[in-house]
Amino acid sequence: MLIIPAIDLKDGHCVRLKQGLMEESTVFSEDPGAMARHWVDQGGKRLHLVDLNGAFAGKPVNEGAIKSIVKAVGGDIPIQLGGGIRDLDTIERYLDDGIGYVIIGTAAVKNPGFLHEACYAFPGQIMVGLDAKDGKVAVDGWSKLTGHDVIDLAKKFEDYGVESIVYTDIGRDGMLTGVNIEATVALAQALTIPVIASGGVTNLDDVRRLCAVASEGIIGTITGRAIYEGTLDFAAAQALADELSA
């Protein structure tokens, strides 16, 4: 079980949002590269980056900060990145910069043809981020709820060849209210590709609950606010996950 630290980038800084609201942001660091290195040194095995400005602008905005993170990590662990990725050129540029996996979110839902092309062009490096509330997928930085069922859509994308699904319960993200285990397990059971949980990890009990269902196909969880505000000790969480997965 991977415990994956999230670095959300806004205006070049490392921030966290509450329920995806840009105006509800808290700056945790003005040096994203140093923050990334910190999590690697604490035992991180993968990093999760989000270009928040990019997600809202529909194009890369924090590329300078992303490059500083790649340089600071130095290839020690893989980095997955989402936010504002809408074309193949952007994917190619990020992969050339040293990003390991590119996460396509809104564009996957609105333009499945683009996702299909991306999976074909960059096999094994395309992940899809599905953000859902009450089983329905949300797009555009969570501002719009669609009629798409999250499991149906995930199955379709699995057929395209996506590497894995990052599943966020947007009712819980940034709220420190615990992971929606039931919904995450239901999604993982419906797929053969791995699922990464996101949203709501608060403490070591959440890590234990996720490790207990890892065999269903859940390979990791992304955590942000909890490790920055201190309700979850990241190094202890990854050590516990390693112990329970042994």
Side-chain angles (χ1 to χ4, degrees):
M1 176 70 64
L2 298 167
I3 311 299
I4 307 172
I7 297 180
D8 290 0
L9 298 165
K10 181 187 176 192
D11 306 331
H13 300 149
C14 172
V15 306
R16 285 302 289 167
L17 305 186
K18 268 192 185 171
Q19 294 193 301
L21 298 170
M22 283 294 261
E23 61 273 20
E24 291 276 336
S25 68
T26 308
V27 175
F28 285 107
S29 171
E30 299 195 353
D31 187 343
M35 183 57 75
R37 190 68 238 172
H38 169 74
W39 296 127
V40 176
D41 293 343
Q42 289 281 306
K45 299 179 180 183
R46 189 185 290 203
L47 287 178
H48 177 79
L49 309 188
V50 182
D51 180 348
L52 291 171
N53 303 97
F56 284 86
K59 61 184 181 187
V61 175
N62 285 289
E63 216 163 340
I66 291 162
K67 284 183 175 177
S68 75
I69 288 170
V70 171
K71 187 177 178 185
V73 170
D76 288 350
I77 61 172
I79 299 172
Q80 59 190 48
L81 166 71
I85 297 163
R86 304 283 192 273
D87 58 65
L88 297 179
D89 287 345
T90 300
I91 296 174
E92 186 168 28
R93 197 164 73 243
Y94 277 141
L95 295 177
D96 286 346
D97 285 346
I99 294 296
Y101 303 97
V102 165
I103 304 165
I104 301 174
T106 292
V109 182
K110 289 186 160 183
N111 185 1
F114 161 58
L115 177 66
H116 203 268
E117 288 175 359
C119 289
Y120 181 76
F122 309 105
Q125 293 183 291
I126 305 298
M127 302 165 70
V128 166
L130 288 178
D131 307 327
K133 190 172 185 181
D134 302 324
K136 298 299 180 188
V137 175
V139 294
D140 293 330
W142 304 351
S143 60
K144 296 188 185 113
L145 212 54
T146 71
H148 293 294
D149 178 84
V150 67
I151 289 178
D152 290 346
L153 209 51
K155 282 181 167 177
K156 179 171 145 183
F157 295 160
E158 177 178 47
D159 291 342
Y160 288 2
V162 304
E163 195 275 334
S164 52
I165 300 283
V166 176
Y167 173 68
T168 306
D169 182 324
I170 63 178
R172 302 194 186 208
D173 186 76
M175 302 304 287
L176 303 179
T177 51
V179 182
N180 189 335
I181 296 277
E182 298 74 20
T184 308
V185 167
L187 178 62
Q189 286 176 335
L191 304 172
T192 58
I193 56 173
V195 171
I196 294 174
S198 173
V201 172
T202 310
N203 52 42
L204 290 176
D205 283 340
D206 290 325
V207 174
R208 287 187 187 93
R209 290 169 67 216
L210 277 165
C211 287
V213 293
S215 61
E216 303 292 352
I218 301 166
I219 62 161
T221 182
I222 295 162
T223 179
R225 186 169 286 275
I227 54 174
Y228 291 106
E229 294 193 348
T231 65
L232 182 69
D233 178 315
F234 172 73
Q238 186 60 68
L240 175 65
D242 290 345
E243 181 190 323
L244 293 175
S245 304

